[in-house]
Amino acid sequence: MTAHGTPLSSVLDTVGETPLVRVQSAPEAVPVYAKLESFNPGASVKDRIGLYIVEQLLERGDLEPGGTVIEPTAGNTGIGFAIAAGQLDVNAVFVVPERFSVEKQQLMDALGARVVNTPTEDGMGGAIDRAHELAEEIDGAVVPQQFSNPLNVEAHYETTGPEIFDALDGEVGAVVAGCGTAGTLMGIAKYALDQHPDTHVVAVEPEGSLYSTTKGADAEEDEYKIEGIGTHDTDTNELFEPELVDEIIQVPDRRAHDELKRLASEEGHLVASSSGAASVAARNVAERIRDGEIDVPYDSVATIFPDSSERYLSKGIYRSFEEWEG
Ligand code: PMP
């Protein structure tokens, strides 16, 4: 647990216990609170699973000190794993589709990890296959596989969920979060539903992503610019449990982009596109709670701002919508 008033012995002690801050533009009657995950040492929500999973693998003997973790990752997970691995005497190799931001790959490299790129057109599926090939070639290697590893969900069940509930004295009406692996939402949702079975659970994805097909929606697949959430093949998202989710909100790139810029200019948040999408969806849920359209145990909404915009400056995140590369 992070204690900011005392000296800490390792950067690993600064993972988690991130601030929960009110989104000012949300309705007065139904506050929206966002957990600012850029306060983690690797500046994203993924530091939580990096630390939790490496510790658990070592504790269970699935990974030996001096061994190697190999992970297919869009970037933030690599940084989270690289920090934990570096401090716990473990090597790290990451397989990253080329389209993901160069900043993230430079940070993984700086943390001592090896980065292997796969072609953008092969998607995350191509990165997953390559990670397993590499694991065959390297002795003592483990592929934690964030897309299917229950420890990903457990990390959030054990940390993110309880932190939100503690900060709000248990008075959480709805939880809203973007889904990449869905580890964040599933962990928080399971914790929330254990506290109150009527908590409203909302998944957020970009327009063009296919999570909503799991609830019977007739979604059309398309490219999107929002980074870190969404799926083109729901078979890869093994952790996502549609039955725990009340609704799936699709956010168009343009709405997420407008909102991330507004969050910076009006509220002082330097957050990226998945935070913009989460904010749009969380405000929408809060408005519908206020208007009596959704029944919740408490009039409040909790969401996650997963990372910082600084990681995407090279992609023109603060330029016009057209100039933003996504
Ligand atoms: N936002 C960003 C920027 C991310 O990198 C990720 C992880 N891919 C997410 C949101 C979604 O987190 P999760 O994988 O837990 O669904």
Side-chain angles (χ1 to χ4, degrees), residues 2-325:
T2 308
H4 294 291
T6 51
L8 303 169
S9 57
S10 159
V11 77
L12 298 184
D13 297 334
T14 70
V15 176
E17 294 292 337
T18 53
L20 190 69
V21 177
R22 194 164 170 165
V23 177
Q24 289 154 20
S25 59
E28 198 57 35
V30 186
V32 170
Y33 296 96
K35 202 144 173 65
L36 306 187
E37 292 298 305
S38 61
F39 279 69
N40 283 300
S44 94
V45 67
K46 290 295 182 178
D47 293 358
R48 293 177 184 271
I49 72 161
L51 177 58
Y52 191 84
I53 294 178
V54 172
E55 276 183 344
Q56 290 287 325
L57 292 175
L58 286 168
E59 210 174 294
R60 295 174 183 192
D62 294 338
L63 181 66
E64 297 291 332
T68 303
V69 283
I70 305 179
E71 185 67 10
T73 165
N76 281 333
T77 302
I79 295 160
F81 270 114
I83 292 174
Q87 300 308 303
L88 297 170
D89 187 24
V90 169
N91 302 305
V93 178
F94 300 109
V95 188
V96 187
E98 270 155 0
R99 79 172 267 257
F100 292 102
S101 78
V102 292
E103 281 94 334
K104 290 178 185 169
Q105 300 185 42
Q106 285 175 11
L107 295 174
M108 288 186 257
D109 187 54
L111 290 162
R114 192 176 134 211
V115 177
V116 175
N117 282 123
T118 50
T120 299
E121 58 273 20
D122 294 352
M124 278 315 291
I128 292 168
D129 291 346
R130 185 81 187 103
H132 286 289
E133 280 167 26
L134 285 167
E136 300 278 305
E137 294 163 17
I138 301 171
D139 276 349
V142 177
V143 183
Q145 233 310 18
Q146 59 164 343
F147 282 87
S148 55
N149 194 330
L151 291 171
N152 176 355
V153 176
E154 208 176 292
H156 294 288
Y157 183 89
E158 295 293 337
T159 71
T160 326
E163 288 173 29
I164 291 169
F165 276 74
D166 285 353
L168 296 174
D169 293 327
E171 300 194 346
V172 180
V175 292
V176 177
C179 289
T181 65
T184 307
L185 180 67
M186 289 300 112
I188 297 171
K190 286 181 184 200
Y191 185 83
L193 294 168
D194 279 355
Q195 312 314 304
H196 208 301
D198 294 332
T199 313
H200 192 71
V201 176
V202 181
V204 184
E205 67 173 348
E207 202 171 270
S209 161
L210 295 178
Y211 266 115
S212 58
T213 60
T214 63
K215 302 287 277 183
D218 192 15
E220 216 168 290
E221 187 182 358
D222 204 353
E223 291 306 309
Y224 45 82
K225 297 193 198 187
I226 298 168
E227 192 164 324
I229 58 173
T231 182
H232 290 296
D233 176 5
T234 53
D235 286 346
T236 54
N237 305 94
E238 293 174 38
L239 301 175
F240 186 73
E241 296 179 48
E243 59 280 9
L244 299 186
V245 175
D246 292 294
E247 57 172 322
I248 300 175
I249 296 184
Q250 291 210 326
V251 178
D253 283 339
R254 197 178 280 276
R255 292 285 316 279
H257 190 243
D258 284 348
E259 180 68 355
L260 74 88
K261 285 176 121 178
R262 191 200 66 76
L263 282 165
S265 64
E266 291 182 13
E267 304 200 26
H269 290 293
L270 294 176
V271 292
S273 53
S274 67
S275 304
S279 184
V280 167
R283 289 173 57 192
N284 171 280
V285 169
E287 283 160 17
R288 286 186 289 134
I289 292 172
R290 178 199 59 198
D291 297 343
E293 292 167 24
I294 306 173
D295 263 344
V296 285
Y298 301 99
D299 284 350
S300 68
V301 177
T303 191
I304 305 288
F305 287 176
D307 71 349
S308 149
S309 55
E310 287 201 49
R311 201 147 276 174
Y312 308 89
L313 292 175
S314 68
K315 293 187 149 196
I317 193 167
Y318 287 126
R319 300 213 180 109
S320 68
F321 177 72
E322 289 70 25
E323 286 172 300
W324 171 42
E325 286 171 38

